[in-house]
Amino acid sequence: MGGQIMAVLGSGNAQKMRTQLVDGVAHYRLPLGEAEIALNERIGSFLKLTFEGEINCVHCDRKTRKSFNQGYCYPCFQRLAQCDSCIVSPEKCHYFEGTCREPQWGETHCMIDHIVYLSNTSKVKVGITRGSQVPTRWIDQGAVQALPIFRVSNRLQSGLVESIFKQHVADKTSWQAMLKNQPEPMDLHAERDRLSAECAPDIAHLRESFGEDAIEPLAAEDVHITFPVEQYPAKVKAFNLDKSPTAEGTLQGIKGQYLIFDTGVINIRKYGGYKLTVSDEG
């Protein structure tokens, strides 16, 4: 910055950005320790993130040399239900087998209603989320549209429904494609109808196993999300704070959990528990 005096906006252990959908626009705040930095208003300004070389587990707060699963120390990564492989692959939920790492956590997070949805990130994909995470989950993955298609009774059932659908449609988001542009609007209702017809026999089989009320089709409207992006990058280059402790540049936008600078992008969620200092030109 050529000797420019920087003003510290906040410093502390980072958490994933908190989001809110206001009149269809995603609004972002970055938690650092006890403070939060409002980011939408800083788009177009120079911003600097500095990793101070300290990582604390997002669960137990102990110091750790390496972060696992976006912010956990190794003991917590091994012990906590929220770090188990079934969180990534919900069809592998083993709560009913009596082998859940934390049954009480499973009761409050997995044995509750989940939503199966279609979303438009760079293309149509199927996904699941807890009912309480709508629309947060869609904002976090950078979806410009989302349509709930089923309400199911628990995480296992949502994973089984998702597994049926992902035989016909993607279940992953390409983060590079998501960050490059604004995708064209898609008719998610038509996609829902097409996929529901293709998957009908398998869904009927699940209903026979779990009961008609366990998997409820939804007649919902799709949700449209506008992200605060002034300019998308022509080429997506990610900062790596483990290799170089500074990410800085003009903040051009925010999408998903990514800050988009004119110099590169950074996935804030990846650096959960990292002690960061955020500053601007003052």
Side-chain angles (χ1 to χ4, degrees):
M1 285 299 294
Q4 170 71 48
I5 297 176
M6 302 295 287
V8 173
L9 300 176
S11 185
N13 294 331
Q15 303 174 47
K16 84 179 188 77
M17 289 184 284
R18 293 176 183 158
T19 61
Q20 186 177 13
L21 192 63
V22 180
D23 296 327
V25 178
H27 287 254
Y28 287 87
R29 301 182 70 86
L30 174 61
L32 289 178
E34 299 299 317
E36 287 190 357
I37 302 172
L39 292 175
N40 286 50
E41 62 198 51
R42 301 192 178 278
I43 292 173
S45 302
F46 186 89
L47 207 63
K48 181 177 181 180
L49 281 70
T50 304
F51 172 39
E52 303 294 351
E54 180 179 316
I55 307 173
N56 293 84
C57 175
V58 294
H59 182 78
C60 73
D61 201 40
R62 83 174 78 194
K63 287 187 179 180
T64 177
R65 293 177 60 187
K66 183 179 179 182
S67 169
F68 296 85
N69 198 31
Q70 300 175 332
Y72 296 89
C73 64
Y74 189 72
C76 285
F77 173 66
Q78 289 289 93
R79 177 178 60 85
L80 297 177
Q82 58 200 283
C83 295
D84 204 343
S85 60
C86 53
I87 298 303
V88 176
S89 303
E91 72 277 9
K92 298 179 182 178
C93 174
H94 47 97
Y95 177 92
F96 292 101
E97 298 172 17
T99 55
C100 182
R101 292 180 178 182
E102 296 176 281
Q104 187 173 357
W105 189 91
E107 288 173 9
T108 57
H109 291 80
C110 302
M111 303 306 293
I112 58 174
D113 282 359
H114 278 61
I115 300 296
V116 182
Y117 63 85
L118 296 178
S119 64
N120 178 9
T121 51
S122 57
K123 58 182 180 180
V124 174
K125 69 174 287 290
V126 64
I128 69 159
T129 188
R130 298 193 302 274
S132 61
Q133 291 301 297
V134 171
T136 302
R137 174 61 179 153
W138 303 333
I139 298 173
D140 284 351
Q141 68 178 204
V144 299
Q145 292 172 266
L147 176 67
I149 56 177
F150 290 103
R151 183 184 302 277
V152 299
S153 298
N154 55 57
R155 186 172 184 83
L156 172 62
Q157 292 168 9
S158 70
L160 293 173
V161 173
E162 181 186 42
S163 293
I164 292 170
F165 271 72
K166 70 184 184 183
Q167 297 176 47
H168 307 275
V169 67
D171 67 324
K172 298 290 189 297
T173 297
S174 168
W175 64 271
Q176 295 98 332
M178 181 269 291
L179 289 174
K180 280 186 176 179
N181 56 41
Q182 176 82 0
E184 292 295 322
M186 304 197 72
D187 188 341
L188 294 184
H189 289 86
E191 287 296 297
R192 175 200 62 194
D193 294 344
R194 177 183 68 82
L195 291 166
S196 294
E198 292 179 349
C199 298
D202 290 326
I203 296 297
H205 182 69
L206 287 183
R207 286 205 180 95
E208 289 176 6
S209 300
F210 297 113
E212 289 292 326
D213 295 337
I215 303 170
E216 175 191 359
L218 297 175
E221 292 301 316
D222 55 338
V223 174
H224 292 256
I225 301 171
T226 299
F227 290 91
V229 179
E230 287 187 349
Q231 184 173 339
Y232 287 97
K235 183 178 180 180
V236 177
K237 176 186 175 183
F239 289 104
N240 186 337
L241 296 182
D242 294 311
K243 293 183 178 180
S244 178
T246 300
E248 62 183 350
T250 300
L251 183 63
Q252 295 184 323
I254 316 170
K255 193 175 186 185
Q257 281 287 319
Y258 287 84
L259 299 182
I260 303 171
F261 293 97
D262 61 339
T263 50
V265 305
I266 183 167
N267 179 5
I268 293 298
R269 191 165 194 169
K270 178 180 178 180
Y271 298 103
Y274 282 54
K275 185 176 180 181
L276 302 182
T277 297
V278 177
S279 50
D280 68 3
E281 294 178 352

